[in-house]
Amino acid sequence: MKIPIFDPGYRDISARTGFSGNRLERLSENRGPDLQAKSLRNPNARTMLVGGGRVLLANEGGRTKLWFTVAEAEQLGGTIRETIVLGTEPNGEPRLATPIFFEPETVPDGFSFKDFRAVYIEGLLGEEDLGALAQGGSLVAWNSTHRFCSRCGHETEMADAGYKRICPSCGTSHFPRTDPVIIMLVISSDNERVLLGRSPHFPERMYSCLAGFVEPGETLEDAVRRETREETGVPVGPVSYHASQPWPFPYSMMIGMYGRAENETIKLDDELEDAGWFTRADVRASIEGEPDAKFIMPPKGAIAWRLVEDWLDG
């Protein structure tokens, strides 16, 4: 499979995955102590309302509304003091993320409190808003789960507009984390078959690429080999990088890789319900949605789809 390395005008492969379209200027060099207050005072500031892996959306004349004024966010019950500054639009307008939470029965009329997966599967937001949602959702989740200092146990305080938490007791600074997850398409030695697995929680008939967290002190390549061997018993030789995808569940980075199998003998562990080798014809039937396909693919925005389709077209 040939992938252009430096091709003028070539769009990143990663840009063709869900949650990757964020185009906000992140202001990473300007996250001073007054950035949050200054942004909240700006009359052109708009904020998304997120919490618990869900986002509040409004239906306005058949159009989905993600961004709210600060006054609207406060009226809806957002925790304004914990608002995070995501960045600015090209025209300088601030874009923010404000924590909120609703029980299903308390969502206001005309609104929906949608799971992030449902938002991208249903195509409710454009690429840029979906990318901003990945940023906002991940940062709100990190701040909510790091309220206490891991060093002394004291309650921490938000700083740098949501990109740092400081312990007022021992002075320790805590910074947002991104968990690296490798997701790999393992290919047969003749390049005609791919290894796909099925987890027990998948929808009926769905198979996908294998995946797993990168462990401390481990290269991406070794993580591919280890996870594939642990889950299926298949040894992997050469490994190469393909693309990445922000994944706000709660704050991961999916790193798409290809691996070449050294043999095709499968010995399942207890993580997978099933795994198997699928031919190019099997994969094409699934991607094209043929009713008699042997399996169904994950949603089109998932990096697993990108890995499989790019192999098929290569």
Side-chain angles (χ1 to χ4, degrees):
M1 181 174 184
K2 294 183 178 179
I3 301 296
I5 298 178
F6 300 114
D7 183 2
Y10 182 74
R11 189 185 185 204
D12 290 344
I13 297 170
S14 302
R16 292 182 279 153
T17 62
F19 297 110
S20 65
N22 193 354
R23 296 296 178 267
L24 295 178
E25 172 54 56
R26 290 175 176 259
L27 306 176
S28 56
E29 299 298 316
N30 297 291
R31 293 176 188 146
D34 62 341
L35 179 60
Q36 185 207 52
K38 181 180 177 182
S39 299
L40 287 169
R41 289 194 303 267
N42 190 315
N44 296 316
R46 297 293 183 271
T47 188
M48 65 175 70
L49 290 159
V50 294
R54 294 177 175 270
V55 58
L56 188 70
L57 301 174
N59 187 331
E60 291 192 343
R63 301 185 65 180
T64 301
K65 177 179 176 179
L66 170 67
W67 301 103
F68 300 88
T69 67
V70 174
E72 288 172 331
E74 190 169 23
Q75 186 176 18
L76 287 163
T79 310
I80 303 300
R81 69 180 181 279
E82 296 179 12
T83 293
I84 295 160
V85 180
L86 304 181
T88 60
E89 296 282 4
N91 61 8
E93 293 182 355
R95 292 294 178 263
L96 319 170
T98 300
I100 200 167
F101 186 77
F102 291 103
E103 295 295 344
E105 65 274 10
T106 65
V107 178
D109 290 342
F111 295 82
S112 59
F113 198 42
K114 283 272 190 180
D115 177 87
F116 295 163
R117 282 186 178 87
V119 171
Y120 97 89
I121 290 172
E122 295 174 24
L124 299 178
L125 298 177
E127 288 185 4
E128 294 189 11
D129 283 346
L130 200 60
L133 177 59
Q135 181 187 2
S138 294
L139 284 165
V140 168
W142 177 80
N143 274 274
S144 70
T145 57
H146 288 73
R147 295 188 177 279
F148 296 91
C149 180
S150 58
R151 183 175 181 183
C152 73
H154 196 280
E155 188 170 3
T156 59
E157 299 173 352
M158 194 174 81
D160 288 2
Y163 287 80
K164 181 166 71 173
R165 297 192 72 87
I166 298 174
C167 178
S169 177
C170 68
T172 300
S173 294
H174 303 272
F175 297 92
R177 57 180 289 176
T178 297
D179 296 331
V181 179
I182 43 97
I183 178 166
M184 52 277 189
L185 184 63
V186 176
I187 304 168
S188 63
S189 59
D190 63 1
N191 199 31
E192 292 301 317
R193 292 173 301 284
V194 291
L195 178 63
L196 301 175
R198 173 175 170 75
S199 293
H201 66 274
F202 280 5
E204 187 177 354
R205 296 181 57 234
M206 179 180 286
Y207 282 72
S208 186
C209 300
L210 308 181
F213 287 98
V214 180
E215 296 193 348
E218 185 175 47
T219 67
L220 300 180
E221 293 84 353
D222 283 345
V224 168
R225 297 182 183 106
R226 175 183 55 78
E227 283 287 347
T228 304
R229 184 180 66 254
E230 288 176 354
E231 294 185 5
T232 68
V234 174
V236 171
V239 173
S240 64
Y241 168 81
H242 185 59
S244 61
Q245 178 182 31
W247 197 241
F249 303 101
Y251 27 70
S252 295
M253 173 60 71
M254 304 296 290
I255 304 163
M257 311 283 284
Y258 288 117
R260 182 76 70 194
E262 294 185 328
N263 70 56
E264 299 178 23
T265 302
I266 296 174
K267 296 178 182 178
L268 288 180
D269 73 352
D270 56 3
E271 283 191 50
L272 295 179
E273 185 177 275
D274 190 28
W277 290 96
F278 295 88
T279 67
R280 288 183 178 272
D282 296 335
V283 171
R284 191 171 299 280
S286 178
I287 281 184
E288 294 179 354
E290 295 182 8
D292 59 347
K294 290 184 177 180
F295 69 99
I296 61 173
M297 287 282 294
K300 201 166 186 177
I303 195 171
W305 179 289
R306 181 82 282 128
L307 283 161
V308 172
E309 187 175 55
D310 286 353
W311 165 77
L312 188 62
D313 292 341

